[in-house]
């Protein structure tokens, strides 16, 4: 039935739902926005991913009898009438989101939920779970792949992923960001991602000789065989044996596809292996490398002149090894009071953690002359000046004295309506379309923002009105002891 269970949530959501229900406020509307505060891996951008799974979840999620029975066992002793409300519940709200593959930046809303507080609260945990992980892996994949844009990247991470669903959805995220295929066969079937596979050391170890192992493998898979050449000695035995078997294949009118290097100095070994293959007139045989690769090793290997055509990347991609979590949060932006929305703010001693109150639209401003992105711009939902293409002042929300005026721009609204009154209204793009869209997104940015090391900070500006609202609310909350209420 449901892809993600209703109880895949934190207990505090159920407790807040219950307290709202007891208080009679559970049907009151609320608007939550999902955003993250810091880019991962020191990258200049993140790649939005997870929307397809979020929509499947929100459309299908229901409380099952087993889940209701489990809640009945809890020490909170929820009223039966509350459990009955859960039994009859399905999501009825509205969702706006940026499309998967979009380049996104800190503090901007990438998904917005408008619904009854009861339901908007429940779905927070699962939505964050999905978007945080998939966005993180898509970002890592995009970053890794840009180190050698002309080469082919394969996702090899399933054995090290944090269990099955992370492997499957992480693979999809990597594909969005430009990986060409995966070793995970189930992901290939589920998403129509190209699947490929070489062989393990065990295949060679399990034969009396490497040559015999290679021969048997190419006989079984004459057009698909890739030979792993490092089981005993890459240059003295692996590559010469692969060449010999390749020649035998040629005698049958076929060609060896590739060899794989999985240990040792891969700059040296790949250069030597390439020479040997070329000398044997086997320019068509590609060299695949794997073994703990990430953007740093790949960049270094390229700088050393490594002759590698295909990179198999596993552990460090699928686990987002150097930053294993994206800190995406889901914050209340507005709440219903007397039939209208009142902006809501989360105050913090840390200025970076103060939320941007109010329901916002998010625009990407594109310079008409260069066609490149200038900044992202958040305005309150009722503001029209961007659609009317009026000149705007861009300023840093934390350091507003840093500003820039622009007028010759095109504005692209990034948050699209994807769900209305609980019904998915989004024409889900195919994975190929999402992948192509991600490429277009990258092309919209100057390389300063997409380079791997010390990228330039891309501007994300608040409208003057959104900024003033934030300042006013901060001011009011600082004086709340003097009797302030936001009614
Ligand atoms: N020329 C190179 N420059 C930089 N890093 C490299 C180079 N060649 C290999 N590496 C990387 O160095 C790390 C260690 O490689 P190493 O050769 O020690 O693996 P290994 O221990 O031989 O392999 P294994 O234990 O898996 O059989 C790997 O992450 C690998 O990708
Ligand atoms: O290194 P990754 O980026 O995760 O790529 C996947 C690794 O998985 C396999 O190794 P295996 O699991 O057999 O272990 P190994 O480290 O001993 O090669 C393969 O030979 C790669 O080295
Ligand atoms: O096909 C391969 O070579 C492969 C697949 C998964 C992990 N390591 C290698």
């Amino acid at each position: 039935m449901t892809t993600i269970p209703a109880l895949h949530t934190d207990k505090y959501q159920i407790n807040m739902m219950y307290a709202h229900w007891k208080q009679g406020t559970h049907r009151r509307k609320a608007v939550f926005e999902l955003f993250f505060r810091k880019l991962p891996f020191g990258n200049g951008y993140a790649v939005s991913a997870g929307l397809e799974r979020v929509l499947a979840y929100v459309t299908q999620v229901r409380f099952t009898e087993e889940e209701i029975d489990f809640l009945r066992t809890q020490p909170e002793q929820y009223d039966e009438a509350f459990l009955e409300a859960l039994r009859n519940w399905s999501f009825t709200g509205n969702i706006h989101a940026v499309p998967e593959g979009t380049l996104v930046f800190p503090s901007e809303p990438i998904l917005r939920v408008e619904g009854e507080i009861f339901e908007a609260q429940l779905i927070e945990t699962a939505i964050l779970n999905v978007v945080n992980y998939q966005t993180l892996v898509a970002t890592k994949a995009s970053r890794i792949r840009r180190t050698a844009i002309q080469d082919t990247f394969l996702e090899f991470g399933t054995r090290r992923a944090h269990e099955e669903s992370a492997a499957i959805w992480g693979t999809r995220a990597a594909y969005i960001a430009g990986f060409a295929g995966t070793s995970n066969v189930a992901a290939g079937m589920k998403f129509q991602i190209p699947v490929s596979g070489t062989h393990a050391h065990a295949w060679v170890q399990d034969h009396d000789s490497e040559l015999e192992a290679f021969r048997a493998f190419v006989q079984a898979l004459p057009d698909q065989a890739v030979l792993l050449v490092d089981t005993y000695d890459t240059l003295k035995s692996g590559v010469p044996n692969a060449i010999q078997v390749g020649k035998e294949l040629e005698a049958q009118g076929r060609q060896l596809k590739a060899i794989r290097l999985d240990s040792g100095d891969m700059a040296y070994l790949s250069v030597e292996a390439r020479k040997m293959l070329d000398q044997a007139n086997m320019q068509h045989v590609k060299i695949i490398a794997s073994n703990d690769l990430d953007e740093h090793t790949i960049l270094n290997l390229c700088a050393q002149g490594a002759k590698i055509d295909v990179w198999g990347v596993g552990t460090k991609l699928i686990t987002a090894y150097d930053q294993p979590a994206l800190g995406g949060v889901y914050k209340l932006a507005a709440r219903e009071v007397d039939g209208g929305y009142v902006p809501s703010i989360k105050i913090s001693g840390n200025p970076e953690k103060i939320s941007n109150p109010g329901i916002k639209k998010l625009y990407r401003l594109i310079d008409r002359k260069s066609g490149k992105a200038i900044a992202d711009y958040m305005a309150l939902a009722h503001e029209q000046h961007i659609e009317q293409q009026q000149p705007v002042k861009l300023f840093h929300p934390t350091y507003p004295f840093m500003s820039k005026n622009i007028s010759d721009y095109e504005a692209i609204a990034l948050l699209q309506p994807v769900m209305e009154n609980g019904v998915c209204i989004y024409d889900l793009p195919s994975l190929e379309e999402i992948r192509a869209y991600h490429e277009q997104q990258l092309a919209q940015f100057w390389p300063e923002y997409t380079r791997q090391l010390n990228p330039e900070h891309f501007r994300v500006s608040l409208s003057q009105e959104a900024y003033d609202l934030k300042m006013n609310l901060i001011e009011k909350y600082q004086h709340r002891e003097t009797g302030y209420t936001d009614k």
Side-chain angles (χ1 to χ4, degrees), residues 154 156 198-199 201 228 230 259-264 266 287-294 301 308 310-314:
L154 301 175
F156 276 4
T198 74
H199 66 76
H201 297 111
L228 174 61
D230 75 331
I259 59 167
R260 176 162 75 99
L261 305 174
D262 191 45
S263 60
M266 289 199 279
I287 300 183
I288 304 182
S290 56
N291 186 22
D292 259 337
L293 296 171
D294 64 7
L301 285 164
I308 292 164
V310 181
W311 307 88
V313 187

Side-chain angles (χ1 to χ4, degrees), residues 399-415:
Y399 311 104
F401 49 87
M402 296 184 54
S403 67
K404 177 180 177 171
N405 294 307
I406 60 160
S407 53
D408 192 19
Y409 63 84
E410 182 198 345
I412 300 170
L414 291 182
L415 282 169

Side-chain angles (χ1 to χ4, degrees), residues 268-467:
Y268 171 71
L269 292 175
S270 65
V271 169
E272 292 306 309
R274 183 76 272 159
K275 273 191 218 155
M276 291 161 78
L277 289 165
D278 290 354
Q279 272 160 16
N281 243 334
M282 295 179 126
Q283 286 83 355
H284 56 272
V285 176
K286 302 252 185 284
I287 300 183
I288 304 182
S290 56
N291 186 22
D292 259 337
L293 296 171
D294 64 7
E295 64 272 39
H296 309 294
T297 41
I298 294 170
L299 199 64
N300 259 282
L301 285 164
C302 291
Q304 294 166 58
K307 297 282 184 204
I308 292 164
D309 308 289
V310 181
W311 307 88
V313 187
T315 312
K316 290 189 171 161
L317 165 67
I318 208 79
T319 65
Y321 204 72
D322 48 339
Q323 188 183 320
L326 179 73
V329 294
Y330 181 88
K331 295 287 164 197
L332 190 71
R335 65 192 194 101
E336 188 186 356
V337 177
D338 300 333
Y341 279 120
V342 169
S344 179
I345 191 168
K346 157 82 181 71
I347 306 279
S348 162
N350 174 355
E352 308 262 327
K353 281 201 161 190
I354 301 177
S355 68
N356 293 315
I359 303 171
K360 293 174 285 299
K361 289 190 280 195
L362 174 65
Y363 299 98
R364 177 141 305 152
L365 306 184
I366 308 286
D367 185 336
R368 282 193 185 280
K369 285 197 194 74
S370 65
K372 298 287 186 190
I374 312 167
D376 280 1
Y377 190 80
M378 293 180 278
L380 296 174
H382 64 268
E383 292 188 75
Q384 293 299 319
H385 59 287
I386 287 289
E387 270 114 8
Q388 292 161 356
Q389 301 194 350
Q390 293 171 15
V392 286
K393 181 174 159 192
L394 305 174
F395 58 89
H396 193 290
T398 315
Y399 311 104
F401 49 87
M402 296 184 54
S403 67
K404 177 180 177 171
N405 294 307
I406 60 160
S407 53
D408 192 19
Y409 63 84
E410 182 198 345
I412 300 170
L414 291 182
L415 282 169
Q416 299 185 5
V418 294
M419 181 164 253
E420 211 172 88
N421 301 323
V423 177
C424 179
I425 54 163
Y426 188 47
D427 198 5
L428 282 173
S430 70
L431 205 48
E432 294 304 326
E433 286 165 340
I434 298 172
R435 216 167 120 81
Y437 168 73
H438 176 60
E439 284 304 304
Q440 291 161 16
Q441 283 280 295
L442 283 165
Q444 234 169 36
F445 285 78
W446 292 110
E448 292 87 301
Y449 301 112
T450 57
R451 72 176 173 230
Q452 199 192 62
L453 190 64
N454 301 325
E456 281 291 326
H457 196 84
F458 185 67
R459 275 196 189 82
V460 178
S461 186
L462 275 178
S463 70
Q464 189 64 49
E465 202 177 327
Y467 179 76

Side-chain angles (χ1 to χ4, degrees), residues 199 202-220 225 227-228 232 237-238 240-242 244-245 248:
H199 66 76
W203 175 259
V204 177
Q205 291 169 259
D206 197 27
H207 287 79
D208 291 337
S209 75
E210 189 179 56
L211 187 59
E212 189 189 308
F214 285 179
R215 233 176 230 142
F217 200 63
V218 298
Q219 265 163 30
L227 301 174
L228 174 61
Y232 301 124
S237 112
N241 282 334
Q244 182 169 335
V245 167
E248 291 167 12

Side-chain angles (χ1 to χ4, degrees), residues 30-44:
V31 178
F32 286 86
E33 289 179 348
L34 191 163
F35 61 95
F36 59 86
R37 300 190 180 101
K38 196 169 173 288
L39 285 163
F41 322 116
N43 210 45

Side-chain angles (χ1 to χ4, degrees), residues 145-195:
R145 190 198 151 230
R146 288 182 64 75
T147 54
I149 203 81
Q150 69 292 344
D151 294 347
T152 301
F153 286 78
L154 301 175
E155 188 284 313
F156 276 4
T158 298
R159 61 192 58 207
R160 306 275 152 58
H162 298 150
E163 280 268 16
E164 188 254 358
S165 106
I168 297 285
W169 291 94
T171 292
R172 180 180 179 277
Y175 191 66
I176 287 177
F179 270 55
T182 178
S183 63
N184 186 304
V185 189
M189 184 171 107
K190 188 174 173 77
F191 303 120
Q192 283 86 56
I193 296 174
V195 194

